[in-house]
Amino acid sequence: MLDADALQVHLNPAQELVMPEGDRNFKGLFDNMRRILEHSEVPVIVKETGCGMAAEQIKQMLVFGFTWFDIGGAGGTNFPAIEAKRFTSQKSVLAEWGINTAKTLTEAFSVCGRNDIIIASGGIRDGLTAAKAFALSADVVGMSGNILRYIIEKDIEEAQRALTDIINDLKMVMLLTGSSDLKALRNAPIYFTGELREFLLGRNYDISKISAARKR
């Protein structure tokens, strides 16, 4: 009806669990998703909505035949926290649930193949953050909250100017890293420090081999 280029299936169990009126029964979820994939004439994107995806979940989806993933890492809009705020009687224990976009990107490219598509969203707010996502093997980056804020608080023209600034900043990072295109950012030297490094070591990743995996 919309002549859409793709169909996104949103996975938001944490949000549903926090909502008093949310769904609690997820039985048959994968079977339903597979039926959608079988009947869809356009690519089906599996999208997390702010909690990120671990390698184990992405592997499961790959087995089912899904090849497009919007990893939706923590760091952007936090739907469990929103629901906890909306219903003050609800516990907010899940407000911090999930892994951020950098962590889930490393999880994704460790299991995805050359023909799989990784979309990075969740906390992408400027050109530098977008460049880091591309360097960590994202094929596409997405942002919503910061752009919507310009539209709501100012106007569409201001949002357009903000997007132009983000693109220009991304181009500057590409120039400074000698990257002729977005995919070439995967060849840029990359260093892991702090919490992300601890996460990778805790998940038994060989950090010395991650650079090679990024160039899939």
Side-chain angles (χ1 to χ4, degrees):
M1 185 176 65
L2 297 174
D3 196 25
D5 296 310
L7 172 66
Q8 269 194 349
V9 177
H10 286 204
L11 303 180
N12 65 335
Q15 179 186 9
E16 295 289 342
L17 292 172
V18 175
M19 294 169 60
E21 76 275 32
D23 291 329
R24 299 291 188 276
N25 184 358
F26 302 103
K27 186 177 180 180
L29 172 65
F30 291 136
D31 288 337
N32 289 336
M33 291 175 63
R34 289 169 73 176
R35 282 197 289 272
I36 291 172
L37 182 63
E38 289 170 2
H39 290 89
S40 177
E41 297 178 359
V42 295
V44 177
I45 304 170
V46 180
K47 175 176 174 55
E48 235 298 341
T49 57
C51 292
M53 295 182 179
E56 292 82 356
Q57 285 129 21
I58 297 173
K59 272 196 215 175
Q60 194 173 22
M61 295 295 172
L62 287 167
V63 170
F64 290 154
F66 292 95
T67 58
W68 290 62
F69 304 94
D70 184 340
I71 57 174
T77 305
N78 187 322
F79 288 102
I82 289 172
E83 298 299 341
K85 194 77 172 178
R86 188 163 68 99
F87 299 99
T88 54
S89 61
Q90 284 294 106
K91 294 181 179 179
S92 58
V93 66
L94 295 181
E96 301 299 323
W97 184 262
I99 56 177
N100 67 29
T101 301
K103 294 173 183 176
T104 197
L105 266 172
T106 59
E107 294 277 292
F109 75 68
S110 71
V111 295
C112 285
R114 188 177 298 276
N115 297 320
D116 301 321
I117 304 298
I118 303 172
I119 303 170
S121 62
I124 308 291
R125 296 185 176 89
D126 53 46
L128 179 59
T129 313
K132 291 178 179 180
F134 284 120
L136 283 172
S137 290
D139 296 289
V140 181
V141 300
M143 57 182 69
S144 57
N146 53 329
I147 302 303
L148 286 172
R149 192 169 293 112
Y150 280 108
I151 295 173
I152 293 170
E153 297 178 359
K154 297 181 181 179
D155 52 41
I156 291 177
E157 288 72 22
E158 191 66 26
Q160 291 173 330
R161 283 191 286 271
L163 277 170
T164 298
D165 290 341
I166 290 169
I167 292 169
N168 288 335
D169 289 344
L170 173 58
K171 288 179 177 179
M172 287 192 288
V173 176
M174 291 172 65
L175 174 67
L176 293 173
T177 56
S179 303
S180 58
D181 55 36
L182 293 174
K183 198 164 186 176
L185 280 167
R186 300 179 188 182
N187 297 318
I190 192 166
Y191 303 94
F192 298 102
T193 60
E195 184 182 338
L196 178 56
R197 181 182 177 86
E198 291 178 8
F199 171 83
L200 295 174
L201 293 175
R203 291 281 282 164
N204 295 318
Y205 285 104
D206 186 339
I207 293 178
S208 65
K209 294 181 180 178
I210 285 181
S211 291
R214 288 160 52 219
K215 300 167 188 175
R216 61 177 175 82

